Amino acid sequence: MDQENVTPKSMFRLDGKTAIITGGGSGIGAAIVRLFHQVGARVIIVDRDIESGKNIAEELYPQDPSSYFYAADVSQPEEVQRLSESILNEHREIHVLVNNAGIGHVGTILETEASDLDRLYEVNVRGVFNMTKAFIPGMLKRKSGCIIQLASIGGVVGIIDRLAYCTSKFAVVGMTKCMALDHAKDGVRINCICPGRVETPFVSARLQEYPDPEKAYREMSSSQAMGRMGKPEEIAAAALYLASDAASYITGHAHITDGGWSAGHIVS
Ligand code: NAD
């Protein structure tokens, strides 16, 4: 950080930076896209869902949306290879990579097939691996960059009924710490965020599986330490902090944003 020219206000600006956000078409990713754009970053959305990715690119860059949305499945190495060639050809330098794309799965070991575990691993773990492998070389060359993974509180503590999901997210936290140490001296900071329950389409889809989704929503909210779920914007704020100069001495950190979930039991 250039201490002399940094003010509390400028510390959280991303002017002149180009950021990629995977899964940027929905939920937490879309909130990060909007916030980073608001604080001056040029934002590139990567999502396998073409409609949602295109919509947000049209909202932020009505003159040239196709330069800011790239359709790709981050779990597929060949697709990520093609994607990185197109992005680097058009945008040259990537300063911030947010590996947000992820999927969920509900079940105990008895209710989880090996194919479920593989699918979660492919998207949640290999997705982070593929994207980081494609974009970290440019950061290392410039000796500057920042990578942020969306892990989960389920990557720090176990969650009942979430065997495959927690397994994949523990791997994301572990991978983050290893990559951070490997490159701590190279000017590239690598951290992850561990949210608790956040109100996004990811959680709404789960609620629809209950016989009474509204009742399930109320129960899910009241079972949180704060009596409510988090909002995507509250997680985006954590991403901005980690991407900003305010976090210049932070790497290898699993940043918990769970409204108190992991602090302890909320029933006495
Ligand atoms: P979401 O379902 O609303 O959005 C995820 C986005 O990722 C979607 O746009 C989807 O199309 C995209 N995506 C999924 N797989 C992809 C792939 N293989 N390639 C490219 N894009 C892909 O989810 P969300 O709730 O915003 O979650 C975002 C991240 O935060 C995930 O990694 C999730 O595990 C993590 N997280 C969410 C919560 C929560 O309660 N919502 C809690 C903890 C962690």
Side-chain angles (χ1 to χ4, degrees):
M1 194 194 328
D2 174 2
Q3 302 283 359
E4 287 196 353
N5 295 317
V6 169
T7 64
K9 203 170 165 196
S10 71
M11 206 177 254
F12 294 103
R13 297 286 311 176
L14 297 179
D15 302 292
K17 302 248 166 89
T18 303
I20 296 177
I21 291 103
T22 70
S26 170
I28 294 169
I32 297 173
V33 166
R34 291 196 176 94
L35 182 60
F36 280 21
H37 179 262
Q38 225 179 322
V39 296
R42 173 200 284 245
V43 191
I44 299 166
I45 300 138
V46 171
D47 206 298
R48 69 178 173 189
D49 185 308
I50 296 179
E51 204 184 327
S52 62
K54 243 170 98 177
N55 283 346
I56 184 160
E58 278 166 5
E59 170 195 321
L60 301 182
Y61 300 104
Q63 267 82 32
D64 186 18
S66 61
S67 296
Y68 296 91
F69 168 61
Y70 292 80
D73 180 339
V74 295
S75 71
Q76 302 302 313
E78 308 78 28
E79 277 192 40
V80 171
Q81 180 59 35
R82 278 198 298 276
L83 170 81
S84 67
E85 282 162 16
S86 311
I87 290 181
L88 291 173
N89 195 29
E90 181 141 8
H91 297 277
R92 305 281 163 206
E93 291 184 349
I94 300 303
H95 306 95
V96 182
L97 168 63
V98 183
N99 285 311
N100 162 78
I103 56 171
H105 180 265
V106 178
T108 64
I109 189 152
L110 298 177
E111 296 149 354
T112 303
E113 298 304 325
S115 57
D116 298 320
L117 196 62
D118 289 349
R119 191 170 54 89
L120 271 273
Y121 193 85
E122 263 183 28
V123 177
N124 295 356
V125 185
R126 285 286 301 273
V128 172
F129 177 87
N130 293 337
M131 287 295 293
T132 304
K133 212 167 166 57
F135 289 98
I136 200 172
M139 296 180 182
L140 294 174
K141 209 165 154 194
R142 291 193 315 277
K143 290 211 156 287
S144 156
C146 170
I147 301 175
I148 301 165
Q149 271 70 253
L150 262 293
S152 167
I153 198 59
V156 179
V157 295
I159 304 176
I160 197 159
D161 237 7
R162 300 289 188 285
L163 175 94
Y165 184 69
C166 290
T167 303
S168 72
K169 293 298 188 179
F170 267 78
V172 172
V173 173
M175 187 162 48
T176 300
K177 289 179 185 284
C178 291
M179 294 191 302
L181 284 178
D182 287 340
H183 299 294
K185 292 196 173 84
D186 301 331
V188 179
R189 294 186 300 103
I190 306 171
N191 294 291
C192 63
I193 300 175
C194 299
R197 268 203 205 288
V198 184
E199 280 189 52
T200 69
F202 187 84
V203 168
S204 315
R206 171 76 185 127
L207 287 170
Q208 293 312 312
E209 290 165 17
Y210 288 83
D212 183 347
E214 280 185 28
K215 183 165 168 255
Y217 173 83
R218 284 194 302 277
E219 285 174 0
M220 207 179 261
S221 300
S222 63
S223 69
Q224 306 301 307
M226 286 189 174
R228 67 170 179 87
M229 290 188 249
K231 298 190 185 330
E233 293 74 18
E234 293 176 307
I235 311 305
L240 175 57
Y241 167 62
L242 290 173
S244 75
D245 282 345
S248 58
Y249 199 51
I250 297 181
T251 197
H253 178 51
H255 184 91
I256 293 177
T257 47
D258 68 349
W261 176 326
S262 57
H265 293 281
I266 64 162
V267 283
S268 57

